[in-house]
Amino acid sequence: MSQNDSQAILSVQRLSIEFGAKRVVDDLSFALYPRQTLCIAGESGSGKSLTSLAIMGLLPKQAHTPSGAIVFENRDLLSLAERERQQLRGKDIGMIFQEPMTSLNPLMTVGQQLAETLRRHEPLSRQAIAKRCREMLEAVRMPQVEKRLTQYPHELSGGMRQRVMIAMAMLCRPKVLIADEPTTALDVTIQAQILELMRELQQQYGTSLLLITHDMGVVAEMADQVVVMNQGRVEEQAPVRQLFATPQAAYTQKLLAAVPVLGSAGIPEDLSQQPALLEVRNLSVRFALRSGWFEAGKNVHAVENLNFDLRAGETLGLVGESGCGKSTTGKALMNMLAYEGSVKLLGQELNGLHGDALQRVRRDVQMVFQDPYAALNPRKTIFELVGEPLLIHDRLPNAPRRERVAQLLHQVGLPADAMARYPHQFSGGQRQRICIARALALNPKLIIADESVSALDVSVQAQVLELLEQLREEQGLSYLFISHDMAVVERICHRVAVMYGGQIVEIGRRDQVLHNPQHAYTKRLLSAVPLPDVERKRDFKSLLQEFRTPSPIKELGFVAPVQQFVQVSEEHAVAT
Amino acid sequence: MLTFIGRRIGYSLLILLGVSLITYLLLFMLPADPARQIAGRSATPEVVAGIRAQLGLDLPFYQQYAHYLGNLLQGDLGRSYIQRSEVTELLGSRLQPSLELMAAGIGFELLIGISLGVIAALRRGGIADRLLTALSFIGVSAPQFIAAMLFLYFFAVQLEWFPMGGYGGLKHLMLPALTLGLLGSGWYSRMVRSSMIEVLHQDFIRTARAKGLSRARVVLRHVLPNAIVPIIPMIGIDIGVFMGGLVVVESVFGWPGIGQLAWQAIQQVDIPVIVGVTTICAVAIVLGNLIADLVIPLIDPRIDIKKH
């Protein structure tokens, strides 16, 4: 290491950020060294994103920095004029954001957006700019670079857009790259690709990386140094190995304990003798695409020939990446969209039910959705929200309804006085508890949980999972647990079904599927999950290759080839 | 693309058919009698009846309308009752001045509306924003004839910057166009403002700033084009409202356009002219919307008219 390497390239010194009188970041200090990766880890509201915006000079107008300094190359960024900061942004400090779907200008081509950055910071000729853009897209392993340059963002997938974002941030070879939750919105295999890319680029260009994330798996995978933040304060600052081996702060210990670790769960309780609650046979869902004057109509084959059983008291995990048809399956089981095939609940056929018969069945099947912020009507009180199913199905009078709602709230761990309040007065975790209470109101037999804990912070997530588990035991519920998160599925499910391209490719006990995967897709999926364990760093290089998902859009009259399953062991079946 | 235009033109013809039917029906039911208007006060009932038969006004409605449609298909809009000339000729001679005024008026509308909207959005909550909000309210709610009179008084009579009225060069055009533009701009400035504010909060604006672009470039290259997209279909819709203003403004400023013609025809119950003007207006509105729909995909690549 040269003398230069030992000096911090970016250091944040006793930085505070306030919104009005409210302090959201308090006395934060850290230093980023050349070629190193510093992770700021923390849950929502910890102030980690605001810190990154403060470094970029992009804080919202209402925020101000009453004290502290951000020193970059011996200059305090906070004291620079806006014009000088503009010259640093994008040139010496680049940034990637969380939402690749909305972070690119929809009206400009990829090439235009890339060239714009270079033109701003470097006096190059047209040809030189085009050449640099092309090289950078190649560096982020973009397939078909020439074509991409002329495409608009909406023509690219989320992963591709995030590659464009990275290319754009790296174009001027910045000394520091800030990545704010760069992979949170992406599927795990795409996440692995992006993480691998950032590692490669960091080595290639000698960039220092400031990575902001809530995912301890990503931290373990990427970090050299870690800052753990909570409520705007630093809880702990340590080298990554030390942080995971001997966490000092109580908060860090709690956080690490709450993180579900893939591969840690044992053999689940044996429920194979239980009767089947739900029998799904040849379930298919198709969406018709509108036909034009000169085009024949086409169908989107969202779900193709699904077969599985759900036993009484069992939790079945349905995992897969976005677009694999897992949520569509959940909706079909709720009879919320038209499907083909047979779904039987306790022997009663659900397909084709409508009117009163459907209404009666819906008592037994309830749903808990992903976003607790959007799932509750903000104009209704908790009493009205949780009591609504009772009103609809039983026309329960006010007094007994109030009693029942209080009881339900107690079951999900909320005080009875919550009844008079409105959803905005609760945190995300509490709202999800309210959603669960509402689902429980009619004593259902089956709850379909569609990504129900995905939007929650890990510590809250752990609590909600515990609640679900406890309710299952007390009330003999069964869950169909739809999730993209392998570790969460492993923690709560008895059996797991892996979906890919609208079909189940592997199904079995959780330990069978997740510890001994047989299907190529399951293997690929599992190898992409970052583990919160520094001793087991993963090599994502093999994942960088394109893995082409077959298009679900098929001509009319297309009949999918019948899947053949091989029985690996008892309960464990794999599609060939 | 061609199928899209073809289908749209098909729909447009249906709309025009509907418009002509409704106008014709309304005029048929009008208590005013064109034959009596033409004949004058002192005419005997026989003379009035003679005129009525001559104009075909004694026929039942469906025959009159079918007759009109038949002529329309041959490009014949009928003869004016009063002016003793073909409606197509009357319209033709007034089309150009009206188009000039329309182009200038809509140009001013957009120029004033968009720039005020941009300023209000960038200075959101400031004095400029509040002032512009108040002004645009006045603009939207002020009746055109009062505004036109006031402008005429201040700029033509008092300041003598512009001629009192009439048709001529740029100087004659400025005042009526400005009146139309100022009054219409309030609507656009409100919409541009809210559209801009929405775009300013988008993630890609943060990206643009993170690239180190100057403020001007962020606003002009990234915010404005995105904020304009929802405004374009509004221009198509606004043409109808604009036509209403045209009638008033042309009459006040003595601009020899279609609006003035309509004004005169209405006073004289000159049915063929009224129907002709209405048809032309309907064509303009339909055309304006079609052009707006064709322009949007040029700006927003996400909109693909082939799929519609």
Side-chain angles (χ1 to χ4, degrees):
Chain A
M1 258 191 207
S2 68
Q3 180 66 35
N4 203 24
D5 271 9
S6 58
Q7 204 187 344
I9 185 158
L10 176 80
S11 71
V12 170
Q13 293 160 7
R14 315 206 58 163
L15 177 74
S16 296
I17 302 174
E18 284 179 356
F19 270 90
K22 192 170 167 253
R23 188 159 281 212
V24 283
V25 171
D26 190 20
D27 208 14
L28 171 70
S29 300
F30 63 79
L32 178 63
Y33 292 92
R35 294 169 179 278
Q36 295 266 301
T37 300
L38 177 84
C39 276
I40 303 184
E43 299 184 298
S44 51
S46 62
K48 54 191 196 305
S49 285
L50 280 174
T51 307
S52 68
L53 291 178
I55 297 170
M56 286 301 280
L58 295 176
L59 279 177
K61 270 188 199 142
Q62 307 90 321
H64 57 109
T65 46
S67 65
I70 299 172
V71 180
F72 175 75
E73 294 185 325
N74 302 320
R75 284 196 286 180
D76 180 11
L77 295 183
L78 293 178
S79 65
L80 290 185
E82 172 63 18
R83 186 168 278 280
E84 292 170 286
R85 302 210 63 174
Q86 278 173 5
Q87 276 151 14
L88 283 179
R89 283 207 285 268
K91 175 152 178 58
D92 292 323
I93 309 178
M95 186 157 180
I96 319 168
F97 300 96
Q98 174 169 359
E99 272 298 336
M101 301 310 274
T102 53
S103 289
L104 290 167
N105 187 340
L107 306 188
M108 290 168 76
T109 63
V110 168
Q112 285 171 332
Q113 299 195 46
L114 287 169
E116 189 181 45
T117 313
L118 266 182
R119 219 175 311 125
R120 166 75 177 156
H121 296 294
E122 290 179 36
L124 293 173
S125 70
R126 251 182 135 65
Q127 287 84 1
I129 286 177
K131 185 159 166 280
R132 278 274 286 280
C133 294
R134 220 170 292 132
E135 282 169 2
M136 203 62 228
L137 281 185
E138 269 155 19
V140 297
R141 306 282 188 90
M142 187 70 114
Q144 298 170 284
V145 170
E146 287 304 325
K147 190 174 142 205
R148 303 295 174 203
L149 282 168
T150 59
Q151 278 181 316
Y152 288 93
H154 71 276
E155 298 171 87
L156 305 178
S157 67
M160 288 297 149
R161 289 188 211 188
Q162 199 60 306
R163 288 183 195 211
V164 173
M165 283 297 292
I166 295 176
M168 211 150 78
M170 294 297 294
L171 258 181
C172 296
R173 320 262 155 90
K175 299 185 179 82
V176 175
L177 178 65
I178 303 174
D180 185 359
E181 303 268 12
T183 57
T184 307
L186 303 171
D187 279 326
V188 278
T189 50
I190 311 293
Q191 160 168 296
Q193 290 173 357
I194 297 291
L195 292 179
E196 179 59 34
L197 252 173
M198 293 204 301
R199 275 205 288 238
E200 271 183 17
L201 290 173
Q202 188 181 13
Q203 280 170 5
Q204 201 176 332
Y205 296 103
T207 315
S208 310
L209 182 61
L210 180 64
L211 182 64
I212 288 151
T213 182
H214 70 285
D215 186 336
M216 295 311 277
V218 172
V219 172
E221 206 59 62
M222 301 291 288
D224 295 308
Q225 186 83 17
V226 186
V227 176
V228 180
M229 282 182 78
N230 178 36
Q231 310 280 333
R233 291 168 174 279
V234 174
E235 292 281 350
E236 183 163 0
Q237 191 162 167
V240 67
R241 216 163 266 279
Q242 189 187 326
L243 186 97
F244 278 91
T246 52
Q248 298 298 310
Y251 176 78
T252 318
Q253 290 167 1
K254 206 180 90 205
L255 191 68
L256 286 173
V259 177
V261 184
L262 186 65
S264 61
I267 297 171
E269 182 188 352
D270 183 21
L271 295 167
S272 56
Q273 301 313 312
Q274 290 288 325
L277 174 76
L278 187 77
E279 293 165 274
V280 178
R281 293 290 172 271
N282 304 320
L283 174 74
S284 295
V285 181
R286 279 166 204 176
F287 300 111
L289 288 183
R290 220 171 104 180
S291 53
W293 281 8
F294 302 110
E295 295 169 86
K298 286 182 179 171
N299 276 334
V300 180
H301 289 227
V303 174
E304 191 83 76
N305 255 325
L306 236 50
N307 289 289
F308 63 87
D309 284 346
L310 178 61
R311 297 165 189 143
E314 187 186 45
T315 307
L316 174 67
L318 210 51
V319 298
E321 295 185 293
S322 49
C324 73
K326 53 190 194 303
S327 287
T328 310
T329 306
K331 282 188 192 146
L333 297 180
M334 284 293 291
N335 251 325
M336 295 199 307
L337 41 84
Y339 58 90
E340 293 160 33
S342 146
V343 175
K344 281 187 180 155
L345 183 75
L346 289 170
Q348 190 197 356
E349 177 61 52
L350 302 189
N351 195 357
L353 285 188
H354 47 82
D356 286 347
L358 179 61
Q359 182 89 330
R360 274 196 297 281
V361 166
R362 287 217 166 124
R363 299 180 73 98
D364 292 335
V365 189
Q366 289 289 315
M367 201 155 183
V368 178
F369 298 93
Q370 172 168 9
D371 186 353
Y373 289 84
L376 297 170
N377 184 340
R379 290 173 197 279
K380 290 195 169 184
T381 63
I382 303 309
F383 167 65
E384 288 171 315
L385 287 164
V386 177
E388 199 168 27
L390 300 166
L391 197 63
I392 294 169
H393 287 265
D394 296 337
R395 303 228 168 78
L396 206 62
N398 213 352
R401 198 160 85 234
R402 199 162 278 280
E403 214 170 288
R404 174 78 178 126
V405 170
Q407 188 195 349
L408 286 165
L409 289 176
H410 176 73
Q411 276 181 356
V412 298
L414 289 174
D417 62 9
M419 262 196 280
R421 289 191 271 160
Y422 289 89
H424 71 265
Q425 293 166 299
F426 295 90
S427 69
Q430 286 172 322
R431 285 187 217 204
Q432 202 57 297
R433 282 169 192 266
I434 293 166
C435 291
I436 293 170
R438 178 170 64 180
L440 288 174
L442 296 163
N443 289 317
K445 300 192 174 67
L446 167 65
I447 288 185
I448 297 170
D450 188 356
E451 300 275 9
S452 300
V453 296
S454 307
L456 306 174
D457 280 326
V458 272
S459 55
V460 182
Q461 189 181 56
Q463 291 163 10
V464 173
L465 286 175
E466 215 159 276
L467 172 70
L468 287 173
E469 190 56 22
Q470 179 203 334
L471 290 169
R472 186 186 64 81
E473 276 169 20
E474 285 171 11
Q475 320 218 343
L477 288 167
S478 301
Y479 295 121
L480 182 68
F481 194 86
I482 299 169
S483 179
H484 70 282
D485 189 333
M486 254 39 83
V488 167
V489 165
E490 189 194 27
R491 187 179 256 198
I492 190 166
C493 297
H494 297 96
R495 286 191 304 143
V496 178
V498 181
M499 280 190 78
Y500 174 63
Q503 296 180 314
I504 288 180
V505 294
E506 185 160 4
I507 184 166
R509 269 201 338 251
R510 67 172 178 214
D511 54 306
Q512 293 168 333
V513 174
L514 299 177
H515 304 172
N516 182 24
Q518 297 298 315
H519 195 272
Y521 177 70
T522 318
K523 285 180 186 165
R524 182 181 159 85
L525 202 57
L526 286 168
S527 71
V529 179
L531 300 173
D533 182 348
V534 260
E535 303 307 326
R536 291 198 285 165
K537 281 219 181 190
R538 311 199 107 179
D539 182 18
F540 294 139
K541 285 216 168 55
S542 62
L543 293 166
L544 276 174
Q545 279 124 30
E546 278 285 275
F547 194 84
R548 236 169 227 300
T549 317
S551 163
I553 300 170
K554 302 279 184 346
E555 303 291 330
L556 281 185
F558 171 85
V559 180
V562 177
Q563 277 182 300
Q564 298 294 329
F565 280 90
V566 174
Q567 209 70 26
V568 179
S569 61
E570 200 191 340
E571 297 213 52
H572 188 184
V574 183
T576 49
Chain B
M1 181 77 187
L2 277 176
T3 47
F4 172 78
I5 296 177
R7 196 163 50 203
R8 280 299 299 268
I9 289 175
Y11 289 148
S12 308
L13 289 177
L14 284 178
I15 292 170
L16 293 180
L17 192 68
V19 168
S20 71
L21 176 67
I22 292 169
T23 332
Y24 219 85
L25 191 64
L26 282 176
L27 290 170
F28 181 77
M29 294 191 303
L30 218 60
D33 184 353
R36 183 156 285 284
Q37 285 285 337
I38 297 165
R41 268 170 210 280
S42 56
T44 58
E46 288 77 36
V47 174
V48 175
I51 292 173
R52 195 173 291 144
Q54 197 190 336
L55 294 176
L57 289 174
D58 53 346
L59 297 173
F61 171 72
Y62 69 91
Q63 280 187 16
Q64 282 189 39
Y65 182 62
H67 188 66
Y68 165 75
L69 271 190
N71 285 337
L72 187 64
L73 284 180
Q74 298 160 30
D76 181 5
L77 285 165
R79 268 181 86 83
S80 163
Y81 295 159
I82 314 292
Q83 308 208 26
R84 319 246 169 234
S85 55
E86 295 292 321
V87 175
T88 34
E89 265 170 43
L90 284 173
L91 287 175
S93 64
R94 283 162 178 266
L95 202 58
Q96 202 204 336
S98 266
L99 284 177
E100 282 170 16
L101 184 55
M102 252 179 92
I106 292 181
F108 274 126
E109 225 175 42
L110 292 178
L111 189 73
I112 299 168
I114 292 174
S115 31
L116 293 187
V118 169
I119 292 168
L122 295 180
R123 302 255 182 279
R124 189 186 178 189
I127 298 168
D129 182 22
R130 268 177 269 171
L131 202 70
L132 289 173
T133 306
L135 280 180
S136 63
F137 264 114
I138 296 173
V140 169
S141 47
Q144 278 123 344
F145 65 93
I146 291 189
M149 296 289 193
L150 283 176
F151 278 19
L152 207 53
Y153 179 71
F154 281 116
F155 296 111
V157 178
Q158 293 291 321
L159 296 169
E160 293 183 9
W161 287 356
F162 300 105
M164 277 293 283
Y167 181 62
L170 210 58
K171 260 197 143 168
H172 292 85
L173 181 66
M174 285 303 275
L175 207 48
L178 261 175
T179 311
L180 282 167
L182 269 176
L183 292 181
S185 67
W187 205 49
Y188 286 105
S189 74
R190 300 304 301 156
M191 280 197 310
V192 170
R193 176 182 179 272
S194 59
S195 178
M196 280 273 292
I197 286 171
E198 205 187 303
V199 175
L200 278 168
H201 286 111
Q202 298 279 325
D203 288 342
F204 58 82
I205 299 305
R206 192 181 52 186
T207 309
R209 294 180 61 203
K211 292 203 278 194
L213 301 181
S214 65
R215 194 172 156 77
R217 176 143 181 115
V218 171
V219 170
L220 294 177
R221 188 72 182 89
H222 291 268
V223 184
L224 199 56
N226 279 287
I228 289 296
V229 170
I231 306 298
I232 293 169
M234 296 297 161
I235 302 173
I237 295 166
D238 185 46
I239 287 179
V241 181
F242 192 83
M243 288 291 202
L246 209 60
V247 172
V248 176
V249 170
E250 280 187 3
S251 303
V252 173
F253 287 96
W255 189 262
I258 286 171
Q260 201 190 36
L261 181 69
W263 184 248
Q264 291 164 359
I266 291 167
Q267 284 175 328
Q268 298 167 331
V269 206
D270 196 350
I271 291 178
V273 177
I274 299 177
V275 177
V277 170
T278 318
T279 311
I280 286 283
C281 287
V283 169
I285 292 167
V286 166
L287 214 61
N289 280 297
L290 182 63
I291 292 171
D293 283 352
L294 291 176
V295 165
I296 292 177
L298 300 181
I299 297 177
D300 192 340
R302 285 168 300 181
I303 297 168
D304 183 1
I305 50 171
K306 277 186 226 113
K307 285 183 186 152
H308 289 276

